[in-house]
Amino acid sequence: MAAVRPNVLSSGLLAGRKDFQNMVLKSQWAQNSWLTDFRNFAGTTTAHGVNYIFVGRNKLIRLIFLLAWFCAVCYTCYSIMQSIITFINKPTGTKYEVIVNNDAQSSRPQAIRFPTITICSHNKVKKSFLKNKGNDDIEYYWNVIDKYDVKEASSMNWSNPGMASLKNWTYQDILDKGGPGSDRLLFCQQRTETCQKLLPKAGQYLEMELSHTGKCWRVNPKGSLFGKGGDYGKMQLLMFADLQDYTERSADQPQYGFTVAFHDFNVYGSTISSGYFMSPGSVYKVDLRLKTEKRKPPPGGKCNASLTQTSYGAYHEGSCVLECKDRAIFKKCGCVNIVPPLDSPYQSCSLRQWAECGLEAYLEFNNKYKNPNLAENICPCPSACNETYYEAQLSSSTLSRHYADQVHSHPWIQGILKKFSNPSIGINYNSSQHIFENLMVLEVLFTSMATSEIRQVVTYTSNNLLGDIGGVLGLFLGASVFTIIEFFQFIMFAVVKHCGKSAENPDTDTDI
């Protein structure tokens, strides 16, 4: 039997040692792999179902748990992303909350501010003014202009001596001089006292306001009157419509009488797009409730907090539209029809400017703004962030003939009727029937001393976001805040372990 050479024996031992070393290194590398670390993490994490991916009874069970857990993770990520998008897009998740003052006596106000009441006559220019001696050319001009016919208005002959004499007149002058006077408000009373006695200083009780619809009475213009709820703080107004003094154009309209608006004293009635028609020969009772509305600026809402004041008083959508109208007319004609009441750089158009340019520009703006596809481009008007308004409920009845007789019996009323009469042009007020036909009685009161506040609030807050994220994590993954901490801890330690230092290659031969 041949003897084994020492070098052959040594080589065999060396090869065996290398195989054993490689096997040990492979085992250590396998134990230190990402998959092994994740398997160990799955066995200790508080998230449900992860461990069954590795320790299921058989491969089918493990596969089912793997697919279920994968689907749950995908849906959870999708739901969380949707929740985050909803949280970012706050404008789509808002609602209005109505917060009413507590009815406890300690929190109830002792008095509530009365609104400013704007009453506009439907008769823009009186017949008696147009029929005055020397006003023939003004009458001709007004009858043309009030038709709103651009072609006829622009074809007026201004070389005529009579028309040339009107060169210093403005459109605003006609409404100011020809409109109804303040004396058509016959009577104002609150708390059994006349408004003149409650507010004796000039301009506190009544102001006259010019608007594109004509002349208006502005009662309580500074918001100085306060009252209590119910009949205790009721205000009563008596208005005389002066129907016999209506021009033919005004008499042709389907409504006659007044348009009435109730608003905050910082707002002008000409900016209120919707008023209440009130006819003479009627008694109106108006129940008011004071409301304030607070909207959120972006990103929670769409109002613009920088818009607070305009040349028509406090900012709101109506005043914004009127400013857009003024800018459009001024840009084209260099003037406006009615100069805004506050700090305006504009001047009223002369009669010729209005006839040849202003009327066309006015109608052009109105036609464009009526088109919903163009309105936003020519006049973007965001909502006001803070707005005070009066919600009104109206009821009415026919004026009592007996009450008309009583009013007519007062000597001062008979003197006013004589003043309003002009027999030369067919205006005669000399009986209680004329009182019945022309008198409008308006009673204004508050139904409650409580003030309603409407707040625009974000309905999807950070609390909602955390609740939704926690709910979907708990329902589909059984996870909590501690599970998230565990996961990030696993990722951090695994990165440090496998990437912080290079792992040895198990296939590399290493000499012992």
Side-chain angles (χ1 to χ4, degrees), residues 137-154:
D137 296 301
I138 295 177
E139 181 181 12
Y140 165 73
Y141 177 88
W142 182 254
N143 288 336
V144 172
I145 286 296
D146 205 34
K147 295 178 183 178
Y148 291 91
D149 187 327
V150 174
K151 185 176 180 180
E152 186 175 356
S154 59

Side-chain angles (χ1 to χ4, degrees), residues 184-410:
R184 266 62 177 179
L185 173 57
L186 302 180
F187 184 70
C188 174
Q189 174 181 279
Q190 191 206 15
R191 307 196 306 267
T192 69
E193 296 285 354
T194 63
C195 298
Q196 294 94 324
K197 187 174 181 179
L198 291 172
L199 301 173
K201 292 183 180 180
Q204 279 190 318
Y205 142 63
L206 177 67
E207 286 181 355
M208 298 303 292
E209 176 187 347
L210 279 177
S211 72
H212 66 282
T213 60
K215 218 168 183 180
C216 304
W217 296 262
R218 186 174 162 88
V219 182
N220 190 29
K222 309 299 183 184
S224 305
L225 290 175
F226 288 78
K228 299 187 74 67
D231 289 336
Y232 299 104
K234 177 177 68 175
M235 175 186 285
Q236 186 181 64
L237 302 173
L238 271 64
M239 299 294 303
F240 192 79
D242 205 0
L243 297 182
Q244 294 184 24
D245 209 1
Y246 269 45
T247 60
E248 292 182 6
R249 290 289 303 163
S250 298
D252 287 342
Q253 301 303 311
Q255 75 280 353
Y256 59 90
F258 309 94
T259 298
V260 183
F262 308 91
H263 53 87
D264 187 64
F265 70 96
N266 287 318
V267 173
Y268 279 79
S270 57
T271 66
I272 307 298
S273 57
S274 59
Y276 300 94
F277 286 162
M278 295 187 180
S279 299
S282 301
V283 179
Y284 292 89
K285 181 181 179 182
V286 182
D287 298 326
L288 296 176
R289 182 180 287 273
L290 176 61
K291 292 192 173 185
T292 59
E293 190 164 344
K294 297 183 178 181
R295 305 180 182 93
K296 284 189 171 292
K302 295 182 178 180
C303 75
N304 189 335
S306 65
L307 300 175
T308 57
Q309 196 72 15
T310 70
S311 57
Y312 289 93
Y315 175 86
H316 64 100
E317 292 184 52
S319 62
C320 175
V321 173
L322 285 187
E323 284 199 325
C324 289
K325 181 263 296 180
D326 288 341
R327 285 195 297 269
I329 298 175
F330 183 79
K331 182 179 179 180
K332 188 171 184 178
C333 307
C335 59
V336 296
N337 54 345
I338 302 297
V339 177
L342 301 177
D343 300 328
S344 173
Y346 306 129
Q347 61 181 9
S348 180
C349 294
S350 67
L351 298 187
R352 183 169 184 175
Q353 280 179 308
W354 185 252
E356 296 181 346
C357 179
L359 180 61
E360 182 179 8
Y362 173 80
L363 294 176
E364 182 181 345
F365 173 82
N366 279 358
N367 292 333
K368 287 182 178 179
Y369 190 72
K370 289 176 183 178
N371 188 335
N373 298 323
L374 300 176
E376 188 64 25
N377 295 328
I378 66 170
C379 190
C381 291
S383 300
C385 290
N386 295 292
E387 194 169 353
T388 300
Y389 63 95
Y390 293 82
E391 186 179 78
Q393 292 182 337
L394 274 68
S395 58
S396 66
S397 67
T398 303
L399 185 69
S400 165
R401 289 188 177 273
H402 179 68
Y403 180 79
D405 292 339
Q406 284 185 321
V407 172
H408 182 260
S409 65
H410 289 281

Side-chain angles (χ1 to χ4, degrees), residues 32-38 41 486-501:
N32 294 329
S33 68
W34 283 87
L35 183 61
T36 303
D37 289 346
F38 185 73
F41 170 75
E486 290 174 357
F487 179 74
F488 282 108
Q489 176 182 272
F490 160 72
I491 294 295
M492 182 178 65
F493 288 168
V495 168
V496 171
K497 177 180 178 181
H498 293 281
C499 300
K501 61 179 181 177

Side-chain angles (χ1 to χ4, degrees), residues 398-451:
T398 303
L399 185 69
S400 165
R401 289 188 177 273
H402 179 68
Y403 180 79
D405 292 339
Q406 284 185 321
V407 172
H408 182 260
S409 65
H410 289 281
W412 66 275
I413 287 290
Q414 294 180 11
I416 288 176
L417 295 182
K418 186 176 181 180
K419 176 183 176 182
F420 293 164
S421 298
N422 190 341
S424 63
I425 56 174
I427 300 177
N428 289 286
Y429 298 118
N430 51 25
S431 69
S432 61
Q433 177 64 25
H434 294 139
I435 290 290
F436 178 79
E437 293 173 350
N438 287 272
L439 190 65
M440 187 270 286
V441 179
L442 175 62
E443 295 183 351
V444 183
L445 54 89
F446 284 96
T447 56
S448 171
M449 296 288 287
T451 301

